[in-house]
């Protein structure tokens, strides 16, 4: 680009000077040649200046874009953090209760929710729940499918632990554990998901 323009200008200058030497001194042709030569040099100088400015501006723009991308990767937008906070606050909170202290109706309802989480149809869930006639069978069915420990901190739930239950997958976590998990994901610019099944919160 710039080298070509300079070569063109130098070639034009040599050609004009060599041709001008064969013209009478002070002739109109000689004056026109010098005027054209001066104009060509000015055009080339302006072109070189513009090309250099364009290249410099492009490098500065690219550096600025890289800086913005780095900042976006290091710190997620504030809007995302607020959205995650609102999302987490909508997740229901329940206290963990041992199955022995749940009534039969409540225990059947919990088993039905867990069967729904497993993707079973309504008729199938109804048949399974209705077949659990004994209290011991209800408790075993509940403990077989329910989360008995927090998968984030790896500690067993104890009575009256405050938990969050994810509505899409019915997995249960300590409130503090899940909130910390969600905000850590947001800090890394990722959408928070269930630690067990990777379902979006």
């Amino acid at each position: 680009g710039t080298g070509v323009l300079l070569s063109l200008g130098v070639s034009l200058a040599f050609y004009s000077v060599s041709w001008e030497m064969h013209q009478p001194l002070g002739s109109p042709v000689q004056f026109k040649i010098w005027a054209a030569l001066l104009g060509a040099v000015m055009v080339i100088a302006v072109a070189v200046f513009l090309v250099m400015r364009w290249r410099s501006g492009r490098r500065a723009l690219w550096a600025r874009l890289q800086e913005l991308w780095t900042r976006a990767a290091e710190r997620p937008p504030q809007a995302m953090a607020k959205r995650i906070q609102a999302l987490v606050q909508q997740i229901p909170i329940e206290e963990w209760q041992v199955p022995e202290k749940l009534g039969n109706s409540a225990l059947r309802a919990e088993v039905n929710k867990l069967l729904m989480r497993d993707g079973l149809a309504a008729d199938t869930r109804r048949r399974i729940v209705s077949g659990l006639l004994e209290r011991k069978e209800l408790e075993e069915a509940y403990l077989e499918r329910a989360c008995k420990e927090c998968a984030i901190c790896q500690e067993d739930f104890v009575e009256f632990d405050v938990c969050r239950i994810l509505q899409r997958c019915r997995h249960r976590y300590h409130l503090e554990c899940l909130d910390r998990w969600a905000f850590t994901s947001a800090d890394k610019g990722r959408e928070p998901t269930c630690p067990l099944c990777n379902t979006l919160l």
Side-chain angles (χ1 to χ4, degrees), residues 58-140:
R58 187 177 61 174
R59 285 194 295 268
L61 177 61
W62 179 247
R64 179 59 177 167
L65 289 175
Q66 287 182 320
E67 180 183 357
L68 292 176
W69 290 334
T70 302
R71 289 182 179 180
E74 292 177 349
R75 183 176 58 188
Q78 194 69 17
M80 180 179 181
K82 292 182 178 179
R83 180 172 59 81
I84 297 303
Q85 181 179 7
L87 176 65
V88 170
Q89 290 176 348
Q90 293 176 1
I91 300 175
I93 299 174
E94 292 183 6
E95 288 185 347
W96 169 261
Q97 295 181 351
V98 294
E100 294 81 3
K101 294 190 176 182
L102 291 174
N104 288 345
S105 298
L107 201 53
R108 289 180 185 277
E110 289 298 323
V111 172
N112 184 64
K113 290 177 182 178
L114 294 171
L115 294 172
M116 185 186 304
R117 178 197 68 186
D118 295 340
L120 299 181
D123 293 341
T124 305
R125 298 198 308 269
R126 191 180 304 109
R127 185 172 61 255
I128 293 175
V129 173
S130 61
L132 301 173
L133 302 178
E134 300 293 333
R135 170 73 189 191
K136 184 179 180 180
E137 293 176 342
L138 275 173
E139 293 180 3
E140 289 176 352

Side-chain angles (χ1 to χ4, degrees), residues 122-182:
D123 293 341
T124 305
R125 298 198 308 269
R126 191 180 304 109
R127 185 172 61 255
I128 293 175
V129 173
S130 61
L132 301 173
L133 302 178
E134 300 293 333
R135 170 73 189 191
K136 184 179 180 180
E137 293 176 342
L138 275 173
E139 293 180 3
E140 289 176 352
Y142 175 76
L143 291 174
E144 180 184 353
R145 295 173 173 83
C147 299
K148 295 180 284 294
E149 70 172 13
C150 177
I152 298 176
C153 67
Q154 301 295 313
E155 293 184 3
D156 290 339
F157 295 119
V158 297
E159 192 173 9
F160 304 126
D161 273 355
V162 180
C163 306
R164 288 195 188 275
I165 301 179
L166 304 183
Q167 294 301 287
R168 293 184 178 181
C169 60
R170 301 299 299 175
H171 287 134
R172 183 191 307 260
Y173 305 94
H174 289 124
L175 183 145
E176 298 86 355
C177 295
L178 185 66
D179 290 5
R180 192 183 310 114
W181 175 275

